[in-house]
Amino acid sequence: MAALRALLVPRLAAASAIDPLPELLRPLPVHGRTPSPHAALHGSAPRPRARVALVLSGCGVYDGTEIHEASAILVHLSRGGAEVQIFAPDVRQMHVIDHTKGQPSESEGRNVLTESARIARGKISDLAQLSAANHDAAIFPGGFGAAKNLSTFATDGKDCKVNKDVERVLKEFHGAGKPIGLCCIAPVLAAKVLRGVEITVGHEQEEGGKWPYAGTAEAIKALGAKHCVKGVTISFLVAGSLSLCCIAPVLAAKVLRGVEITVGHEQEEGGKWPYAGTAEAIKALGAKHCPRATPMPPTSVAREAGCPRA
């Protein structure tokens, strides 16, 4: 995530009076005004300045996009006030992995665009439609899909081929001098396409398991790129109380009788809170609903006592 922050700060960060927020999370000034620090992807904030393309490679760490990475990126971009559009190539996956066993499922075949749509909640476009002229930055989350579906690195190593639209997009953004974010194994894409580029996957030694994929650095060098040793970090979302998202609060409302919980507001307010009716269902289940302006509308917080204030 440090690499993501370094790439996007020039476009996403702006001076703000909100000192507690990290630089990447500060809101962007739009037409002379500073939007809410919690400007989300749901259309409630003013149109942001930064337009970011997120390129997925399926859904699932072993045969597609690493979902944790994609989610973390979306959270950071949302809090930074970015407008995100999600893309994936309309191609067949290399194979399908049963994630409960870590083994290929020989009888299945899946499409990368179709699978990626799960993460995008259906709002996704064919990668063939992505143009650097319409975006300020492009980000590729990790996951084995980058090495299996966006390229053949998983099977061919330094002799791999890269999907033609992935190659085109990387060259377009690089040629335009626009930021490119690459997570986990995804830097090998740039190493193959952008000869001599300087990139990092962290350290070059495993250091007792701290950097389990340190060997990737050698592969990057073999591809003709320069590997820069850097200490990268990972961001996590930590919930101190019971945290439930979207429709999930009804579970706590049913099981924890009398619990105080919120799903945001109780009125739709012109579509800003499209699932406001859930509040009535929560009351019907015997819980107390506490109206609150949550940071992101789909996120809810249940507490054993005391309603959080708006």
Side-chain angles (χ1 to χ4, degrees):
M1 198 56 67
L4 167 61
R5 182 175 283 106
L7 284 166
L8 293 182
V9 161
R11 289 185 180 270
L12 294 181
S16 170
I18 308 174
D19 291 332
L21 289 178
E23 189 174 16
L24 178 60
L25 306 186
R26 291 177 182 169
L28 296 170
V30 180
H31 304 304
R33 296 179 299 157
T34 299
S36 162
H38 300 301
L41 297 174
H42 303 275
S44 59
R47 181 179 175 82
R49 180 183 301 168
R51 298 165 297 173
V52 181
L54 185 67
V55 181
L56 304 183
S57 60
C59 183
V61 61
Y62 298 126
D63 58 11
T65 300
E66 216 295 350
I67 300 172
H68 292 188
E69 291 178 13
S71 298
I73 291 167
L74 286 168
V75 168
H76 276 271
L77 292 175
S78 173
R79 290 177 174 175
E83 176 187 352
V84 180
Q85 188 173 1
I86 303 175
F87 298 86
D90 187 4
V91 297
R92 188 177 177 83
Q93 286 189 187
M94 173 185 156
H95 60 187
V96 176
I97 297 294
D98 180 340
H99 280 60
T100 64
K101 301 175 181 177
Q103 297 294 327
S105 180
E106 302 296 343
S107 61
E108 288 190 71
R110 299 185 184 182
N111 178 276
V112 175
L113 179 62
T114 302
E115 290 300 296
S116 298
R118 295 175 181 273
I119 299 174
R121 289 180 162 183
K123 193 173 182 181
I124 194 168
S125 301
D126 188 338
L127 184 60
Q129 300 175 18
L130 173 55
S131 171
N134 299 324
H135 295 82
D136 299 308
I139 301 177
F140 293 73
F144 282 88
K148 295 178 177 180
N149 305 327
L150 302 188
S151 72
T152 63
F153 180 79
T155 54
D156 299 331
K158 67 181 180 62
D159 298 318
C160 68
K161 295 180 180 179
V162 176
N163 174 278
K164 61 181 178 63
D165 281 314
V166 171
E167 180 173 356
R168 174 186 58 80
V169 167
L170 288 171
K171 287 182 175 178
E172 280 187 8
F173 277 85
H174 184 258
K178 295 182 177 181
I180 301 171
L182 300 143
C183 306
C184 192
I185 192 64
V188 299
L189 302 173
K192 178 66 176 181
V193 172
L194 307 174
R195 303 293 291 181
V197 69
E198 295 183 354
I199 53 180
T200 184
V201 289
H203 289 201
E204 296 182 355
Q205 302 298 322
E206 291 196 7
E207 300 177 17
K210 183 179 179 181
W211 304 92
Y213 303 111
T216 305
E218 293 305 314
I220 285 173
K221 296 175 186 177
L223 287 167
K226 178 181 179 182
H227 184 259
C228 304
V229 176
K230 290 188 177 182
V232 297
T233 58
I234 302 174
S235 295
F236 295 92
L237 298 178
V238 180
S241 54
L242 175 59
S243 182
L244 302 154
C245 301
C246 196
I247 195 65
V250 299
L251 302 176
K254 179 68 175 178
V255 176
L256 306 175
R257 303 295 291 180
V259 69
E260 297 178 341
I261 196 168
T262 183
V263 289
H265 290 198
E266 297 183 357
Q267 303 298 322
E268 289 196 6
E269 300 178 16
K272 182 179 179 181
W273 303 93
Y275 305 110
T278 305
E280 294 305 314
I282 285 173
K283 296 175 186 177
L285 287 168
K288 179 180 179 182
H289 182 259
C290 308
R292 181 192 183 197
T294 56
M296 296 178 71
T299 303
S300 307
V301 178
R303 298 181 185 276
E304 299 256 347
C307 289
R309 289 192 240 175

